[in-house]
Amino acid sequence: MTTRRQFFRAGAVVLGAAAVSRAGAASLPEAPLQDKPQTQPPLAPPNGRPYQPVVTLNGWTLPWRMKSGWKEFHLVAEPVVRQFAPGMKAHLWGYNGQSPGPTIECVEGDRVRIFVTNKLPEHTTVHWHGVRLPNGMDGVGGLTQPHIPVGKTFVYEFEMRKSGTFMYHPHSDEMTQMAMGMMGFLVVHPKNTEFMRVDRDFVFLTNAFDIDPGSATPRVNTMLDFNLWAWNSRVFPGIDPLVVRKGDRVRIRMGNLTMTNHPIHLHGHEFEVTGTDGGWVPKSARWPEVTTDIAVGQMRAIEFVANAEGDWAFHCHKSHHTMNAMGHNVPTMIGVDQRAAAKKILDLVPDYMAMGERGMAEMGAMEMPLPDNTLPMMTGAGQFGPIEMGGMFSVVKVRAGLARNDYRDPGWYRHPAGTVAYEWQGDAPVASRVETTQGETKK
């Protein structure tokens, strides 16, 4: 006779139409939905083991219920509409109303039961990336479990054996479903609340999309030439700032589910990599950095003490990853006098603008017609003018005097007098140029 425990150990379990009757549906935990693109407040644990909650950048944490010693969550895989930034929305696939799906938070030692209901137009699974669990709960369709059919609900059950930084995503028609935005963050907190404790703990996933200007659905067959590089399916200026109090010890956890690496760079502070998806990094193995490279499928947790007030840039250091909806085949026009041609074109196309003659900075300031549902390539404005960024860019805002749980945007930093770069008003020095002729140097 197979016991219930043995049955669950064998693999993820499907609840068929008979099981999900009105009575069966009543036994499922609630599946909350979220459609707001702004960062939601951290979810303090209402029950179960205590922990310090994380803040999901432009996202939220999935509530749970406790039932007979199990922490139960309910994910719904479904089509969603996600705002990338004001002025652009995309038709994606995600979980519980958003892409990425909600962050799942639990504690080392928790027995976790996750119901997954499939409302996509095709089958799916969920793989728990980096989590130690029974093989039949690993979520690889066809290998460790049947695919979850359309309209069905599967159950995953396992114990969280170690704390750390993880993620979830499909292992079923993976290229399509990942390209459509199906992914989410999973945080397992230490049982000892003082272990690796920080004051503020942020999480986000890097993802990328290829969405033609004027359209709203990603091209799922793109391999490398993506045109929207995102954090949690948001691009600058739609990515919220990371607000921290001066003196806070800050952790930022990042996972890479794009098809290339990302050198993530923080201004104004040094940090250490303190965690990967393999576990916490011992102090003896850490070193100071200002940039950490996150390869495909990797997780990184960085930590620093926010001891310098200001608005500090935080971004991917691949320049084209801090741009939106750029064209890959646009010729370089630097140094080309376009005035004569532009005058003739204006007679035919009144809104035409010649671009790129003196670089692309003009893209950050000018207003020109764009297709509907398309973002400028370089955008965003600060207190001193255009920021000329897009994509994977945000700001770490360090302020003295914030309340412990205050994550509200404090506005732009008020620089003390004499601490902002300024224009030189004196005489310019005469340049001394060196000319070389047949091996001789002349001045």
Side-chain angles (χ1 to χ4, degrees):
M1 178 178 177
T2 302
T3 66
R4 183 176 184 276
R5 182 178 298 275
Q6 290 169 335
F7 184 56
F8 276 117
R9 280 179 176 171
V13 180
V14 63
L15 300 180
V20 190
S21 60
R22 179 174 298 181
S27 70
L28 294 175
E30 183 182 358
L33 302 178
Q34 177 66 261
D35 59 4
K36 296 179 180 178
Q38 294 80 23
T39 302
Q40 299 303 303
L43 178 63
N47 49 45
R49 293 182 171 94
Y51 63 82
Q52 180 189 12
V54 300
V55 175
T56 304
L57 193 63
N58 290 103
W60 59 300
T61 289
L62 184 64
W64 68 85
R65 75 178 182 192
M66 295 299 301
K67 186 175 182 180
S68 302
W70 290 85
K71 184 171 282 186
E72 294 187 337
F73 300 86
H74 192 174
L75 286 174
V76 178
E78 61 182 350
V80 302
V81 176
R82 177 65 160 171
Q83 184 194 70
F84 274 51
M88 182 183 178
K89 293 182 178 180
H91 298 160
L92 306 178
W93 291 355
Y95 303 90
N96 298 62
Q98 280 199 351
S99 165
T103 297
I104 295 175
E105 293 187 72
C106 49
V107 180
E108 181 184 12
D110 277 352
R111 293 193 299 166
V112 174
R113 178 181 293 136
I114 304 173
F115 297 84
V116 179
T117 298
N118 183 13
K119 293 187 177 180
L120 297 172
E122 68 170 2
H123 62 222
T124 190
T125 66
V126 180
H127 166 59
W128 315 98
H129 185 111
V131 178
R132 293 183 185 176
L133 35 62
N135 184 237
M137 296 290 174
D138 195 45
V140 181
L143 177 66
T144 66
Q145 68 165 86
H147 298 272
I148 306 175
V150 176
K152 303 296 183 180
T153 297
F154 270 47
V155 183
Y156 295 87
E157 283 189 340
F158 42 88
E159 181 180 339
M160 290 303 185
R161 296 168 54 189
K162 65 173 185 175
S163 64
T165 303
F166 311 106
M167 52 190 168
Y168 62 89
H169 60 80
H171 249 299
S172 183
D173 191 13
E174 185 172 345
M175 181 171 173
T176 297
Q177 295 186 13
M178 297 274 280
M180 289 293 288
M182 296 192 70
M183 58 194 68
F185 221 96
L186 196 163
V187 174
V188 184
H189 296 279
K191 187 182 296 184
N192 177 0
T193 56
E194 295 303 313
F195 178 72
M196 300 294 294
R197 189 172 182 85
V198 293
D199 298 298
R200 304 203 180 203
D201 198 340
F202 297 91
V203 305
F204 65 85
L205 292 170
T206 66
N207 47 358
F209 302 88
D210 185 11
I211 302 178
D212 287 333
S215 66
T217 303
R219 296 161 60 99
V220 298
N221 291 323
T222 296
M223 299 293 182
L224 294 175
D225 290 337
F226 299 93
N227 62 7
L228 288 165
W229 299 93
W231 289 352
N232 271 6
S233 300
R234 294 280 285 184
V235 298
F236 186 76
I239 300 175
D240 286 342
L242 290 75
V243 178
V244 304
R245 183 176 53 174
K246 185 179 180 181
D248 276 349
R249 184 166 185 84
V250 180
R251 179 184 296 132
I252 304 175
R253 312 184 198 221
M254 301 160 283
N256 181 6
L257 284 175
T258 71
M259 293 190 182
T260 187
N261 65 308
H262 298 286
I264 303 298
H265 175 55
L266 174 64
H267 293 208
H269 298 80
E270 302 86 29
F271 59 75
E272 293 180 337
V273 175
T274 58
T276 73
D277 34 351
W280 300 106
V281 178
K283 288 185 177 180
S284 59
R286 304 174 193 170
W287 63 87
E289 280 281 12
V290 296
T291 304
T292 185
D293 197 34
I294 309 177
V296 179
Q298 286 186 334
M299 314 287 290
R300 290 289 181 268
I302 66 171
E303 293 182 23
F304 62 96
V305 176
N307 52 19
E309 280 194 271
D311 295 334
W312 300 106
F314 180 53
H315 59 95
C316 179
H317 219 290
K318 289 187 174 181
S319 298
H320 65 294
H321 292 185
T322 53
M323 302 171 73
N324 295 325
M326 61 288 209
H328 299 284
N329 298 313
V330 177
T332 299
M333 301 297 289
I334 294 175
V336 178
D337 190 341
Q338 303 177 61
R339 287 173 293 182
K343 186 176 184 303
K344 295 179 180 179
I345 295 173
L346 277 169
D347 293 336
L348 301 173
V349 186
D351 291 328
Y352 175 77
M353 292 183 181
M355 295 182 296
E357 183 177 328
R358 292 171 295 277
M360 298 303 291
E362 57 196 351
M363 291 290 293
M366 69 176 163
E367 295 183 6
M368 62 180 292
L370 292 171
D372 291 339
N373 202 47
T374 300
L375 297 172
M377 183 171 65
M378 299 163 63
T379 184
Q383 60 179 317
F384 299 109
I387 295 178
E388 300 177 350
M389 287 289 180
M392 295 177 168
F393 181 92
S394 187
V395 179
V396 175
K397 295 193 172 186
V398 182
R399 298 290 188 276
L402 295 180
R404 179 174 296 277
N405 292 314
D406 187 357
Y407 292 91
R408 294 172 297 177
D409 188 342
W412 299 114
Y413 179 58
R414 297 182 179 180
H415 299 266
T419 64
V420 177
Y422 58 94
E423 180 183 358
W424 173 252
Q425 299 296 329
D427 295 333
V430 177
S432 177
R433 304 187 184 278
V434 178
E435 299 178 0
T436 302
T437 304
Q438 296 180 347
E440 297 181 359
T441 301
K442 298 180 179 180
K443 291 188 178 180

